[in-house]
Amino acid sequence: MKIVIIGGTGLIGSKTADRLRKRGHEVIAAAPNTGVNTITGEGLADALKNAEVVLDLANSPSFEDKAVLEFFETSGRNLLAAEKVAGVQHHIALSVVGTERLQESGYFRAKLAQEKLIRASGIPYTIVHSTQFMEFVNGIAQSGTVGDTVHLSPAFIQPIASDDVADAMTEVALGKPQNGIVEIAGPDRMKLSGLVERYLKKMNDPRKVVADPEARYFGARLEDNSLVSDKSPRLGRITFEQWFAMAAQPK
């Protein structure tokens, strides 16, 4: 098949592209740096010509409320319109577990807007809800840092390694449209504050983690289960300890 990956040069996109190519598929890694821009429409029609499957893995360069909403709405409309013209048979988008529960956050409001566009498009689709990537743990620590302390919710998290996400996206791309949501998560459930504390200790980072139920997660207050799935998600195989050991190896 010809498969187009929007955001195909990013963390998940590049790993998914590699897996699909190894299975013998023609993969177009579409991104502004390869001449395909879903915001302006540049290169989109050519990239989608004869494509059967499109994976949308693009993310907004800005998390500011107005900018992120404009990104996902504009990109989504342009991409879905071009897919209709090209006759794409399966649209796949990567989103986040708990999106519908985290609507205090501008980022998650934008992701929900993207999902609504997909559902209304008439194109067969699968939306993959993933828990937070292990590679994002440092960003979570930064988001909660005030001086020498990191204020984070003790809500549960079930982080997943990017290699497991890429494996899941590959399987979804080669499967039938679900016209619904598939959820994926890491193998271990733990407290968000505890996860970041473990990470900082391994990094010999002196910051102290404070478990604070009122601490916001990118603008949203968390309940215990806001970031985890109870819908029998597909589980990854890589634990946090295994991921950290691999990440710490010299490249």
Side-chain angles (χ1 to χ4, degrees):
M1 289 191 293
K2 179 180 176 181
I3 301 170
V4 176
I5 303 179
I6 306 297
T9 60
L11 174 67
I12 306 299
S14 57
K15 291 183 176 191
T16 305
D18 183 55
R19 285 159 170 73
L20 288 166
R21 287 185 182 120
K22 283 178 178 173
R23 296 205 191 186
H25 300 283
E26 178 189 355
V27 180
I28 304 296
N33 61 3
T34 66
V36 182
N37 191 318
T38 55
I39 299 298
T40 65
E42 176 195 358
L44 204 48
D46 285 343
L48 294 180
K49 193 173 181 181
N50 299 321
E52 294 178 52
V53 177
V54 171
L55 284 81
D56 186 2
L57 308 181
N59 207 356
S60 173
S62 169
F63 279 24
E64 188 275 321
D65 286 4
K66 185 169 182 286
V68 72
L69 182 62
E70 285 181 356
F71 176 87
F72 282 117
E73 287 191 331
T74 302
S75 177
R77 286 193 184 102
N78 288 343
L79 180 57
L80 292 164
E83 286 179 27
K84 276 200 164 183
V85 172
V88 168
Q89 297 300 303
H90 190 183
H91 176 94
I92 301 159
L94 181 58
S95 193
V96 187
V97 164
T99 289
E100 69 287 352
R101 300 190 288 266
L102 298 166
Q103 290 298 293
E104 286 181 286
S105 163
Y107 182 82
F108 292 103
R109 287 196 297 272
K111 290 300 290 182
L112 191 61
Q114 177 194 29
E115 293 183 20
K116 286 178 178 176
L117 287 171
I118 293 166
R119 289 191 180 92
S121 71
I123 298 169
Y125 71 90
T126 304
I127 296 170
V128 179
H129 272 187
S130 173
T131 53
Q132 282 62 30
F133 306 157
M134 292 180 190
E135 288 81 358
F136 194 41
V137 173
N138 185 60
I140 294 172
Q142 291 300 113
S143 75
T145 295
V146 179
D148 294 328
T149 60
V150 185
H151 292 258
L152 290 171
S153 168
F156 287 109
I157 191 170
Q158 203 159 331
I160 186 169
S162 60
D163 282 314
D164 283 335
V165 178
D167 286 342
M169 298 309 294
T170 299
E171 294 306 319
V172 172
L174 300 180
K176 293 180 178 178
Q178 297 299 302
N179 293 317
I181 292 171
V182 172
E183 298 203 327
I184 61 175
D188 301 316
R189 186 172 290 199
M190 61 198 79
K191 299 283 189 178
L192 175 62
S193 51
L195 168 67
V196 172
E197 188 171 41
R198 284 168 65 184
Y199 174 77
L200 294 180
K201 281 182 180 175
K202 286 178 175 294
M203 295 297 291
N204 297 314
D205 189 314
R207 282 178 289 175
K208 182 175 185 284
V209 176
V210 176
D212 178 1
E214 298 303 320
R216 297 276 163 157
Y217 183 81
F218 298 97
R221 188 187 186 281
L222 300 179
E223 301 297 333
D224 260 2
N225 294 319
S226 296
L227 298 176
V228 292
S229 172
D230 292 316
K231 298 176 182 175
S232 301
R234 168 185 167 142
L235 296 181
R237 57 191 170 77
I238 301 170
T239 66
F240 175 74
E241 298 293 331
Q242 291 169 332
W243 169 80
F244 189 88
M246 290 187 291
Q249 290 175 359
K251 297 293 186 282

